[in-house]
Amino acid sequence: MSYFRSNVNAIAGYMPGEQPPPGTHIIKLNSNENPYPPSPKAIAALQAIAGEGLRRYPNPFGHEFRQAVSQVLDIPLDWVIVGNGSDDVLNVVIRACAEPGRKVVYPMPTYVLYCTLAAIQSAETVEIPYGENYELPLEKLIEAQGAVTLIASPNSPSGHGVAIADLQQLAAHLSGILVIDEAYVDFAETNALALVKEFNNVILIRTLSKGYSLAGLRLGFGIANPSLLSGLFKVKDSYNIDAIACAVGAAAILDQPYKNACADRIKTSRTRLTIDLKQLNFRVWDSQTNFLLVQPPQRNAEFLYQRLKSQNILVRYFNQPKLEDKLRITIGTNDQNLTLVEALTELAR
Ligand SMILES: *Cc1c(COP(=O)(O)O)cnc(C)c1O
């Protein structure tokens, strides 16, 4: 006899990237955090929060932040749903739409949380493998006709962006919802915002964790037409965005020049690190994100992961089919990237 539902017992539990305690001297390239600090305007907004703002319940829809999103993306305010991180928005979508008999479909490999959220709902998952070079299995995704189809674009851990035309095809041929998870959009060349306006069944999900250096704040949002959002609002926690996240997030997203400047630095470092790793004969996949998926020449990914870890450099190793010979490396500062390349050069001797 267990206290838990059988599907809960069956869930392995999400394994987040290791989080060493603050102050540990470590080069942390395993969770795709931004190496630069949040916008000074966000920090000022944080410091301006007074006790009175915390005494009262916050606005249930994150009004101030919604308004900022509406302004920055030039969309109506009622097309925005705010969450406690984009994970919260993903959770709300799955809870609202998936159950036994209402399938959750996604290409593999992708963000592992999708599987967990579906399992909690006891919803069947259909996992369709990406092609050898991460070509989208478009026909099979359409055939599967999920109640929810999830596409991370750019995708993790591959780093590739899915062609907008493919997303458009999917949206047009699915009777269920198409979730486009744009967690890494700030480092990408394109985005799918136009599809939200074109299709009633598309929701775009974004986060302040990566591009805005605010993973600790927990703030994400979804963009979709108000009728799609109406079902989601019924499911979300009443006060899922706290007053601090709302105020700090609004200041951060309004400071587009700062975010863009950080993203530009990261993209420049991404190019540099790609060249350096290729010089060490690593295979490096093209990335539209703030990380690189790489395959070491000896394919000894787990060994390198362990050796780097012993030198206080953390990268991500996935012990799963098709990824066990690869590493996912977050783009750090130029100094951090250089230390990594030096360590790998030494290990290759
Ligand atoms: C990081 C990440 C998220 C989670 O973002 P939070 O807003 O921090 O919850 C969602 N989707 C993908 C693909 C991610 O890599």
Side-chain angles (χ1 to χ4, degrees), residues 5-277:
R5 289 156 56 216
S6 54
N7 58 325
V8 173
N9 278 322
I11 295 169
Y14 177 60
M15 286 285 287
E18 294 146 279
Q19 297 291 350
T24 319
H25 180 73
I26 212 145
I27 297 183
K28 193 173 175 307
L29 307 176
N30 67 337
S31 296
N32 300 339
E33 289 141 338
N34 197 308
Y36 301 111
S39 157
K41 292 182 179 167
I43 301 302
L46 176 65
Q47 284 160 349
I49 290 166
E52 181 60 10
L54 300 181
R55 186 181 65 78
R56 296 174 56 168
Y57 278 101
N59 177 280
F61 301 100
H63 183 75
E64 185 185 356
F65 179 68
R66 253 180 138 189
Q67 221 165 17
V69 172
S70 160
Q71 183 184 325
V72 167
L73 296 181
D74 193 22
I75 46 170
L77 183 139
D78 61 351
W79 286 59
V80 181
I81 183 170
V82 189
N84 180 28
S86 60
D87 286 356
D88 180 38
V89 185
L90 289 164
N91 188 14
V92 166
V93 171
I94 302 286
R95 268 160 60 209
C97 303
E99 64 181 349
R102 295 174 63 95
K103 291 176 291 188
V104 176
V105 178
Y106 46 87
M108 281 289 276
T110 193
Y111 191 39
V112 284
L113 185 73
Y114 304 157
C115 174
T116 308
L117 294 176
I120 293 168
Q121 289 304 106
S122 308
E124 184 195 338
T125 52
V126 181
E127 303 186 334
I128 302 175
Y130 265 110
E132 235 8 84
N133 289 302
Y134 300 107
E135 302 89 358
L136 189 75
L138 184 59
E139 277 166 31
K140 288 188 174 140
L141 289 165
I142 292 171
E143 254 169 55
Q145 285 298 323
V148 183
T149 303
L150 297 131
I151 309 284
S153 181
N155 187 48
S156 174
S158 60
H160 79 284
V162 176
I164 301 296
D166 285 351
L167 296 172
Q168 201 164 20
Q169 285 298 311
L170 261 182
H173 292 101
L174 291 173
S175 52
I177 288 187
L178 174 63
V179 177
I180 305 173
D181 182 349
E182 289 195 331
Y184 298 99
V185 72
D186 303 302
F187 312 102
E189 297 307 314
T190 57
N191 68 74
L193 186 58
L195 298 191
V196 168
K197 295 168 193 165
E198 189 178 345
F199 296 101
N200 288 332
N201 60 341
V202 172
I203 180 166
L204 214 65
I205 296 185
R206 294 189 178 180
T207 177
L208 274 74
S209 296
K210 315 276 166 54
Y212 297 85
S213 313
L214 289 169
L217 189 69
R218 310 308 304 134
L219 191 65
F221 57 101
I223 307 161
N225 69 84
S227 87
L228 200 163
L229 293 188
S230 67
L232 307 186
F233 284 130
K234 294 182 196 171
V235 171
K236 80 172 189 70
D237 291 351
S238 318
Y239 299 105
N240 62 330
I241 344 97
D242 64 80
I244 299 172
C246 191
V248 174
I253 204 165
L254 288 172
D255 195 355
Q256 288 293 305
Y258 181 86
K259 183 265 291 182
N260 290 335
C262 290
D264 284 345
R265 287 169 81 176
I266 289 167
K267 286 187 279 184
T268 303
S269 305
R270 181 175 75 194
T271 305
R272 178 77 252 165
L273 183 59
T274 301
I275 293 168
D276 288 350
L277 290 173

